[in-house]
Amino acid sequence: MTKRAILSIRNLHKTYAEGARSRSIIAGVNLDIYAGEFFVLLGASGSGKSTLLNLLSAIDRPTSGQIHIDDTDITALNDLQQTRFRRDRIGIIFQFFNLIPTLTALENITLPQELGGAARGELEKKARDLLAEVGLEGRKDDYPDKLSGGEQQRVAICRALLHEPQIILADEPTGNLDEDTSHAVLQLLLRLTRDAGKTLIMATHSAEIVPLAHRVCRIIDGKLHIETNG
C-alpha cells in the first residue's frame, strides 16, 4: 500500500440542534487515510458512522473543521462545486442500494455520469464491462424488482466504480443481505477496489470484515479510536 494521504481530516466537528440543546455527533476528529487503503469504521447504531461518511462525501457539511481530498478542501466548496466533486471523484455504495425502479440495471449505472455530460456510448460500454466483471452481463436490461438483493448491490457497486473514483465510501454495503450473499458481495467489492488501487472506507457492523482491513477504528462519543493498524 502506498503511504500517501489521499484524505486528511482536521479538527472535524458535527453537531445537531435538538430543541434548545445541541448534540455532538463528530467531536474533533483528526485522521489521514492513505491511497489504496481499506479503512473500516465500527460503531454502534447512532454512533456517527454514517454522519462521518456523509461529511467525507460532501453530502453534509461539518459544523467546523476541514476535509482535504488530495489538494482540495471540500469543506470550502459551494454546493454546486461539492456536487461536481462528488460525482467526479467519489463513489458511494449505500446499504439499501438506492436504485431507481423505473431504470434498467445498465441505466442505473450510467445515469449519474450521463447527468454530468459524459458520452452515453462510452458509458454504456464501460457499464457492460463492469456488469460482466460482477457476473451480471445477462441482466443489463432487467429492472431492480427483477434482481435479488445481492444482484442489486452488485449493480450499485458498478455504479460507484463507473467513473473510476479515487475514493469509495460504503455505508453498511452488506447490511441488507443474507450471510452467504453478504460474503460474496464483500469479496467482490474488495477485489474490484484492490485490483484498481482504490481507497475504500467502509462503515459496518460485520466482524468478518475486520481482519481484511488495513486499519480499523471505532467511533465512541464522536471520536475515533484506532483498534488495529496494518
Side-chain angles (χ1 to χ4, degrees):
M1 184 182 64
T2 303
K3 283 287 188 179
R4 176 178 69 85
I6 192 171
L7 189 151
S8 295
I9 304 168
R10 295 293 178 266
N11 200 27
L12 195 68
H13 292 259
K14 181 65 179 179
T15 61
Y16 291 100
E18 293 184 342
R21 304 176 62 183
S22 64
R23 180 185 174 206
S24 178
I25 305 297
I26 303 296
V29 166
N30 290 280
L31 180 69
D32 288 330
I33 295 177
Y34 303 105
E37 182 173 18
F38 176 28
F39 190 91
V40 165
L41 291 167
L42 299 176
S45 179
S47 63
K49 301 187 305 297
S50 294
T51 297
L52 182 57
L53 290 187
N54 286 342
L55 294 173
L56 299 184
S57 62
I59 290 174
D60 197 3
R61 289 185 178 273
T63 304
S64 61
Q66 295 179 318
I67 302 167
H68 284 84
I69 296 178
D70 277 344
D71 295 328
T72 301
D73 179 0
I74 66 171
T75 58
L77 303 178
N78 64 36
D79 290 347
L80 179 58
Q81 290 170 330
Q82 287 187 334
T83 297
R84 289 173 173 168
F85 187 93
R86 182 168 57 248
R87 183 191 66 213
D88 295 340
R89 306 274 289 276
I90 298 172
I92 305 174
I93 303 167
F94 302 95
Q95 178 178 351
F96 295 104
F97 321 136
N98 286 6
L99 301 182
I100 298 174
T102 56
L103 299 182
T104 66
L106 186 71
E107 290 167 341
N108 266 286
I109 294 168
T110 61
L111 179 64
Q113 299 309 307
E114 281 190 59
L115 293 176
R120 172 179 285 187
E122 181 179 344
L123 287 176
E124 289 188 350
K125 181 183 184 306
K126 290 175 67 176
R128 287 194 297 270
D129 289 344
L130 279 170
L131 283 169
E133 185 83 11
V134 302
L136 293 178
E137 60 268 44
R139 309 302 301 273
K140 67 181 180 65
D141 295 321
D142 288 343
Y143 291 91
D145 65 349
K146 300 299 182 184
L147 303 174
S148 69
E151 288 170 336
Q152 289 187 61
Q153 193 60 295
R154 282 186 273 167
V155 171
I157 289 170
C158 291
R159 179 181 58 194
L161 296 177
L162 181 68
H163 57 298
E164 301 179 11
Q166 297 170 290
I167 296 172
I168 310 294
L169 302 176
D171 192 359
E172 297 281 4
T174 62
N176 202 36
L177 305 173
D178 63 67
E179 185 176 349
D180 289 342
T181 305
S182 172
H183 179 78
V185 167
L186 173 62
Q187 294 301 320
L188 173 66
L189 177 58
L190 287 177
R191 177 173 63 81
L192 291 175
T193 53
R194 284 179 169 170
D195 286 354
K198 304 300 184 183
T199 299
L200 175 61
I201 304 170
M202 183 184 296
T204 184
H205 289 103
S206 174
E208 173 193 10
I209 293 171
V210 169
L212 303 175
H214 293 111
R215 282 190 293 166
V216 177
C217 79
R218 189 174 297 274
I219 302 182
I220 302 172
D221 296 328
K223 297 182 180 296
L224 297 187
H225 300 264
I226 299 294
E227 295 195 344
T228 63
N229 203 342

